[in-house]
């Protein structure tokens, strides 16, 4: 069993839709949870960073962590064609030092104009 | 602020040949990472440096892969000899220091081994 599971998609939605992206994990020691966005032929860029359980909002993006279910989500409101990319979840046991990230496989999102 | 620079962007080699990738991190960033991203998978950490010292190389196939960061700034990752399964994108990332939570990624080097 992989430590982090993520549906690879592809996920296609119309412009303006609410998008829900999810990951599950098996290691209860994970405490730091991240979402990265990766455009084609580019490196990943950090979108959201969350410690432990709870919600975090940044503009159109909301990250949720449910440690009891080992489940994390990223919601995108009012999706735009520019949001079309691969979204990678990542997590680690520790912040900062020894912050070895374990990535999901990524979900390919296409927002249709 | 300039981002993480990597070269070359693309490389095609025959199996059993050697190849080297170069990375220049963001100025002032002490921590440098090399990741391997196989098509359809998330990045996997190969090696992590703090300045010129290795913090974690537990997933580096040391029989064929080597990496160095001699002066604590730019870094080179080498594969010798390459295998077909080494075909992947090799990503370099840097962070301000070991306490920093955000890693900044370069554009990657796409390696194809024929």
């Amino acid at each position: 069993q992989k430590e982090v599971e993520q549906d690879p998609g592809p996920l296609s939605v119309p412009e303006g839709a609410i998008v829900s992206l999810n990951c599950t994990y098996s290691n209860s020691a994970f405490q730091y949870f991240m979402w990265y966005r990766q455009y084609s032929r580019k490196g990943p860029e950090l979108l959201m960073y969350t410690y432990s359980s709870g919600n975090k909002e940044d503009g159109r993006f909301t990250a949720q962590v449910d440690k009891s279910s080992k489940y994390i989500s990223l919601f995108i409101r009012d999706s735009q064609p520019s949001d079309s990319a691969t979204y990678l979840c990542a997590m680690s046991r520790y912040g900062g030092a020894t912050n070895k990230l374990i990535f999901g496989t990524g979900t390919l999102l296409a927002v249709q104009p | 602020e300039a981002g993480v620079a990597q070269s070359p962007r693309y490389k095609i080699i025959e199996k059993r040949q050697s190849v080297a990738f170069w990375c220049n991190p963001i100025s002032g960033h002490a921590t440098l990472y090399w990741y391997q991203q196989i098509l359809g998978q998330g990045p996997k950490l190969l090696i992590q440096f703090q300045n010129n010292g290795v913090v974690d190389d537990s997933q580096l196939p040391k029989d064929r892969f080597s990496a160095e960061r001699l002066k604590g700034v730019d870094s080179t990752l080498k594969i010798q000899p390459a295998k077909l399964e080494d075909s992947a994108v090799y990503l370099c990332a840097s962070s301000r220091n070991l306490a920093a939570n955000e890693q900044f990624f370069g554009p990657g080097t796409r390696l194809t081994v024929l």
Side-chain angles (χ1 to χ4, degrees):
Chain A
Q1 182 188 11
K2 289 183 181 179
E3 281 192 286
V4 180
E5 300 275 2
Q6 186 175 8
D7 186 337
L11 180 62
S12 182
V13 301
E15 183 175 354
I18 297 175
V19 176
S20 173
L21 304 165
N22 312 293
C23 288
T24 59
Y25 62 96
S26 58
N27 189 342
S28 58
F30 288 141
Q31 298 189 82
Y32 297 84
F33 304 91
M34 286 138 275
W35 286 95
Y36 281 81
R37 178 175 61 195
Q38 186 173 24
Y39 290 114
S40 180
R41 309 284 179 175
K42 302 284 188 182
E45 58 177 330
L46 183 65
L47 270 180
M48 301 286 285
Y49 180 93
T50 311
Y51 169 68
S52 194
S53 287
N55 294 358
K56 186 174 183 178
E57 187 173 322
D58 184 3
R60 296 185 295 113
F61 298 89
T62 300
Q64 286 186 353
V65 175
D66 182 349
K67 290 189 70 179
S68 62
S69 302
K70 299 190 182 68
Y71 188 87
I72 70 171
S73 302
L74 177 70
F75 297 95
I76 307 174
R77 290 183 298 280
D78 188 25
S79 56
Q80 302 295 309
S82 58
D83 294 328
S84 299
T86 296
Y87 289 80
L88 297 153
C89 63
M91 44 200 80
S92 65
R93 295 174 63 184
Y94 309 104
T98 323
N99 55 348
K100 180 175 176 178
L101 294 181
I102 307 298
F103 283 87
T105 55
T107 299
L108 178 61
L109 172 66
V111 181
Q112 307 298 332
Chain B
E1 180 180 66
V4 176
Q6 290 189 247
S7 67
R9 292 295 312 276
Y10 305 92
K11 189 76 176 177
I12 300 174
I13 62 172
E14 302 275 337
K15 61 183 179 184
R16 291 187 289 273
Q17 284 187 323
S18 303
V19 65
F21 313 126
W22 174 83
C23 171
N24 188 255
I26 293 172
S27 178
H29 280 197
T31 312
L32 184 147
Y33 313 79
W34 282 103
Y35 288 87
Q36 179 191 58
Q37 187 175 22
I38 292 172
L39 186 65
Q41 299 183 21
K44 183 183 83 170
L45 180 69
L46 292 176
I47 188 167
Q48 177 183 350
F49 291 95
Q50 174 67 8
N51 296 312
N52 61 352
V54 175
V55 174
D56 183 350
D57 64 356
S58 57
Q59 298 193 95
L60 186 73
K62 298 180 186 63
D63 57 334
R64 298 184 300 107
F65 287 64
S66 64
E68 58 184 17
R69 195 185 182 200
L70 293 176
K71 296 183 179 178
V73 180
D74 55 354
S75 175
T76 303
L77 176 70
K78 296 180 181 177
I79 307 175
Q80 180 180 12
K83 292 185 175 182
L84 296 177
E85 58 261 36
D86 298 332
S87 294
V89 175
Y90 290 85
L91 294 162
C92 179
S94 69
S95 61
R96 196 168 301 278
N97 50 49
L98 284 175
N101 295 315
E102 183 170 2
Q103 297 181 23
F104 296 85
F105 284 82
T109 296
R110 184 175 298 272
L111 173 68
T112 301
V113 182
L114 302 175

